[in-house]
Amino acid sequence: MKPFFGTEHDVIMLTCAGTGALEAAVVNTLSPGDEVLAVTMGSFGDRFAKIADVYGAKVTRLDVEWGHAPTPAAVRAAAAEITGLKAVLLTHNETSTGVTSDIPALAAAVRDAAPDALILVDAISALGAVPFAMDAWGLDLVVTGSQKAWMAAPGMAMAAVGPRAWAASETATMPRFYLDLKRHKDTAAAGETPWTPAVAVMYQVDEGLRLMQAEGAEAIFARHEACAAASRAGLAALGFELFADERYYSRTVTAAHVPDGLDWKSFNGTLKERGLVLAGGQGKLKGRIFRLGHLGSVTVEEILGALATLEAVSIEHGRPVEPGIAVAAAQRAALAAGGVFSMTVAGTPA
Amino acid sequence: MKPFFGTEHDVIMLTCAGTGALEAAVVNTLSPGDEVLAVTMGSFGDRFAKIADVYGAKVTRLDVEWGHAPTPAAVRAAAAEITGLKAVLLTHNETSTGVTSDIPALAAAVRDAAPDALILVDAISALGAVPFAMDAWGLDLVVTGSQKAWMAAPGMAMAAVGPRAWAASETATMPRFYLDLKRHKDTAAAGETPWTPAVAVMYQVDEGLRLMQAEGAEAIFARHEACAAASRAGLAALGFELFADERYYSRTVTAAHVPDGLDWKSFNGTLKERGLVLAGGQGKLKGRIFRLGHLGSVTVEEILGALATLEAVSIEHGRPVEPGIAVAAAQRAALAAGGVFSMTVAGTPA
């Protein structure tokens, strides 16, 4: 897994959801009263901030308008204002809005303003599907989850822990036991976990990694790029206004506005009947946006199928759509984005 | 699952190992500085005590010699000595020693000495396989894990929470987020979990429960009783001294001493070659005992098979064993214990 994190440091496997790994990132490195800057651009950034708050950190929030990404200048300014800043919480890919932030630029801004601050990153919903370079970008702790790019069932989360984070864990006084990363590191040396792991999920992650190694990182990244481009082009051709700032489109999930006047409940009900499951908006975006996921084993063929269904149901519900327009636009976009349509996996299951 | 807990209260599903549920029991009901009596008779009791300690409870330990169970008198005396006792931690079945404590008697002793103390019970490794009556016994919070009697893969843990525990959670100040039971209760009302659950394990637990309902609680309990009796009789016939106090033998795991003079590493290596995996001792019992598990889908037929292998390997390693003695003794004991040999499951998978 280390090449996908872009790290030579430890990757710890926890039996929990991604949220548990976010909690591990906080409680293993911080003490109550520590100054924390939580940069949030959606529901998951809010959750990360909330965890630090619950465990007694002194949290300053930098709230970015949902659909947008934080700018390095804003992060630099916010970090510079906090005396004794101990950690900055960043979201790599905000699933609730379909936005991917520019982590290397944000990390450089933090280092510039507060060289000693830890940089803790929620990379749950894109790591493995897009290029990532934890060590080169100077990140201290990065987390992801089994059910994302790794194509396994949910139940395990992974945390990559750099030397500054390990050093911080030696003095961090937030209480921890089940999610204690040091206990996991110590037992990992003997090929064990401190508590019973979700071993069936572990085997799945192992198989996911085998598939990913067979496909190759560049091919995986290109396939996600093509799926994302096809999704955006297809939704736009269907008259759905995309939600995210176009400079920060996610390559793993695309969000679009629910158009004024569309009876979303009825429309979405028909989609479900045809087998297409979209995600609704979270938090303050509930009922205002919908989201099309394209992470993991997804292919452009599947995106074209989803768009074909959306096209058919749009026509059925009286939306002014020219038959074929969405799939044609998606196809052109996928080709322009590199044309990696399918998973190209060599070899047979181990 | 409620009938197996013997409760009409809430059963919360968490995505974590059993240890995570032990942590949930502590952090959702207690505050730092609270007086806690930790009754421990082995590794898992020690772990429960350690969790309370890590989160700042004032922990008084009642240590019972490993292989033995706590007496109601000792628990009553220990509870009576602590002013303002807030909670008592009990282990139902201590997997590390093969001992099951008398929870209803211990709970009555606690209620006698400290009527207001919460009773938090680790019932991970036997609940579902033996009779249990949380509400009738006056227990406040009881936890178990998916990979035990429920016959699923590890990755989920269940916590039954009574009204006194819920009331305590309203004032408990130990920090919690991922393992916050209230958040789970609130989302359960809408058929959801607050974070992504280990959904594949959840389906397995559901199927395990279907099998358990089809077999029936009484038949399950009788099958475990027969497996335990067969295990004890077979091991004794092979000359292995049983480890646990015979008044408190576990019905889900049997521990025996490694005999003086036996080269355990070599003996166990041969067992593994023949496909029989025994567990070693934990903590201070490492190298001193071995354990034969009989929990979940296990049958007397399988126990007889395990004993036949132990018998054959004993002979091979020069131990003085009469061929057939262990399986015959086990068979007689299983018959005397009720004679439920197999899982008797009606119906087909849903």
Side-chain angles (χ1 to χ4, degrees):
Chain A
M1 206 169 272
K2 291 180 182 180
F4 288 101
F5 276 95
T7 189
E8 294 187 350
H9 305 305
D10 303 300
V11 176
I12 304 291
M13 293 196 80
L14 301 163
T15 291
C16 61
T19 298
L22 295 180
E23 183 163 315
V26 169
V27 300
N28 282 277
T29 60
L30 299 173
S31 301
D34 275 352
E35 294 281 357
V36 170
L37 173 63
V39 182
T40 169
M41 54 178 177
S43 285
F44 289 92
D46 285 355
R47 184 177 294 181
F48 209 177
K50 176 78 178 166
I51 292 169
D53 179 60
V54 160
Y55 277 87
K58 196 170 163 204
V59 178
T60 303
R61 290 171 59 106
L62 173 60
D63 278 288
V64 177
E65 189 187 349
W66 289 24
H68 295 259
T71 64
V75 169
R76 186 183 294 106
E81 264 183 35
I82 302 169
T83 307
L85 181 62
K86 186 66 196 285
V88 178
L89 313 183
L90 298 176
T91 311
H92 174 222
N93 184 71
E94 179 56 63
T95 301
S96 68
T97 63
V99 168
T100 302
S101 65
D102 184 351
I103 292 289
L106 300 180
V110 172
R111 286 276 167 266
D112 191 27
D116 295 332
L118 294 169
I119 302 178
L120 313 180
V121 181
D122 170 358
I124 292 170
S125 60
L127 185 68
V130 302
F132 203 90
M134 173 177 169
D135 295 353
W137 299 344
L139 313 178
D140 297 301
L141 204 158
V142 176
V143 307
T144 182
S146 57
Q147 79 276 26
K148 303 298 186 182
W150 323 97
M151 302 182 282
M156 298 206 78
M158 285 69 74
V161 187
R164 288 159 44 110
W166 283 126
S169 77
E170 287 174 23
T171 54
T173 61
M174 285 186 185
R176 54 196 181 268
F177 189 85
Y178 182 69
L179 295 172
D180 189 327
L181 293 171
K182 181 64 162 49
R183 289 178 197 270
H184 284 76
K185 183 183 185 180
D186 290 348
T187 52
E192 296 183 348
T193 53
W195 337 120
T196 306
V199 69
V201 179
M202 204 181 261
Y203 277 105
Q204 293 173 12
V205 170
D206 201 47
E207 176 63 9
L209 274 174
R210 195 195 63 78
L211 291 169
M212 290 169 77
Q213 285 171 339
E215 185 175 8
E218 292 310 316
I220 292 169
F221 302 159
R223 175 167 56 78
H224 282 85
E225 185 81 54
C227 285
S231 298
R232 292 195 297 269
L235 290 172
L238 288 170
F240 295 112
E241 188 192 346
L242 300 179
F243 181 71
D245 180 335
E246 64 185 10
R247 294 168 298 178
Y248 298 106
Y249 282 136
S250 167
R251 271 164 283 176
T252 60
V253 58
T254 298
H257 288 274
V258 173
D260 290 340
L262 178 66
D263 180 346
W264 177 254
K265 202 174 168 187
S266 162
F267 186 78
N268 195 34
T270 310
L271 292 176
K272 277 186 187 164
E273 282 168 19
R274 309 290 161 81
L276 178 60
V277 178
L278 299 175
Q282 292 183 301
K284 63 186 178 190
L285 292 178
K286 196 162 182 171
R288 291 178 47 207
I289 65 166
F290 67 90
R291 295 173 296 148
L292 174 62
H294 33 85
L295 171 60
S297 66
V298 70
T299 63
V300 170
E301 288 91 329
E302 290 169 332
I303 296 298
L304 291 173
L307 290 167
T309 301
L310 266 165
E311 200 175 280
V313 173
S314 287
I315 292 167
E316 205 175 309
H317 279 254
R319 303 191 65 238
V321 165
E322 185 192 325
I325 196 168
V327 291
Q331 163 78 346
R332 284 192 299 272
L335 285 168
V340 174
F341 279 51
S342 303
M343 291 184 71
T344 50
V345 176
T348 51
Chain B
M1 204 170 276
K2 290 179 182 179
F4 288 100
F5 276 96
T7 189
E8 295 188 347
H9 305 305
D10 303 300
V11 176
I12 305 291
M13 295 196 78
L14 301 164
T15 292
C16 61
T19 298
L22 294 179
E23 183 164 316
V26 169
V27 300
N28 282 277
T29 60
L30 299 172
S31 302
D34 275 352
E35 293 281 358
V36 170
L37 173 63
V39 183
T40 170
M41 53 178 178
S43 285
F44 289 92
D46 285 355
R47 185 178 293 181
F48 209 176
K50 176 77 178 168
I51 292 169
D53 179 61
V54 160
Y55 278 88
K58 199 171 161 203
V59 179
T60 303
R61 291 170 59 106
L62 172 60
D63 279 286
V64 177
E65 190 187 348
W66 290 24
H68 294 260
T71 64
V75 169
R76 185 183 294 105
E81 265 184 34
I82 301 169
T83 307
L85 181 62
K86 186 66 196 285
V88 178
L89 313 183
L90 298 176
T91 310
H92 174 223
N93 184 72
E94 179 57 64
T95 301
S96 69
T97 62
V99 169
T100 301
S101 64
D102 185 351
I103 292 289
L106 300 180
V110 172
R111 287 275 166 267
D112 191 27
D116 295 332
L118 295 169
I119 303 178
L120 314 180
V121 182
D122 170 358
I124 292 170
S125 60
L127 184 68
V130 302
F132 204 90
M134 172 176 170
D135 294 352
W137 298 345
L139 313 178
D140 298 301
L141 204 157
V142 177
V143 306
T144 182
S146 56
Q147 79 277 25
K148 302 298 184 183
W150 322 98
M151 303 182 283
M156 297 206 79
M158 285 69 74
V161 187
R164 288 158 44 106
W166 282 127
S169 77
E170 287 173 23
T171 54
T173 61
M174 285 185 184
R176 53 196 183 270
F177 189 86
Y178 183 68
L179 296 171
D180 189 326
L181 293 172
K182 182 63 162 50
R183 290 177 196 270
H184 284 75
K185 183 183 184 180
D186 291 346
T187 52
E192 297 184 348
T193 52
W195 339 118
T196 306
V199 69
V201 179
M202 203 180 261
Y203 277 105
Q204 294 173 12
V205 170
D206 200 48
E207 176 63 9
L209 273 174
R210 194 195 63 78
L211 291 168
M212 290 169 78
Q213 285 171 338
E215 186 175 7
E218 293 310 317
I220 293 169
F221 302 159
R223 176 167 57 80
H224 282 86
E225 185 81 54
C227 285
S231 298
R232 291 194 298 268
L235 290 172
L238 288 170
F240 294 112
E241 187 192 347
L242 300 179
F243 181 71
D245 180 335
E246 64 185 9
R247 294 168 297 176
Y248 299 108
Y249 282 137
S250 167
R251 273 165 281 175
T252 60
V253 58
T254 297
H257 288 275
V258 173
D260 290 340
L262 178 66
D263 179 346
W264 176 254
K265 201 172 169 187
S266 162
F267 186 78
N268 195 34
T270 310
L271 292 175
K272 278 187 186 165
E273 281 168 19
R274 307 289 160 81
L276 179 59
V277 177
L278 299 176
Q282 292 182 301
K284 63 187 178 191
L285 293 177
K286 196 163 183 170
R288 291 179 46 210
I289 66 166
F290 66 89
R291 295 173 295 149
L292 174 62
H294 33 85
L295 171 60
S297 65
V298 71
T299 64
V300 170
E301 288 91 328
E302 291 169 332
I303 297 297
L304 291 173
L307 291 167
T309 301
L310 266 164
E311 201 176 277
V313 173
S314 287
I315 293 167
E316 204 176 310
H317 279 253
R319 302 192 66 238
V321 166
E322 184 193 325
I325 195 167
V327 290
Q331 163 78 345
R332 285 192 299 272
L335 285 168
V340 174
F341 280 51
S342 303
M343 292 183 71
T344 51
V345 175
T348 51

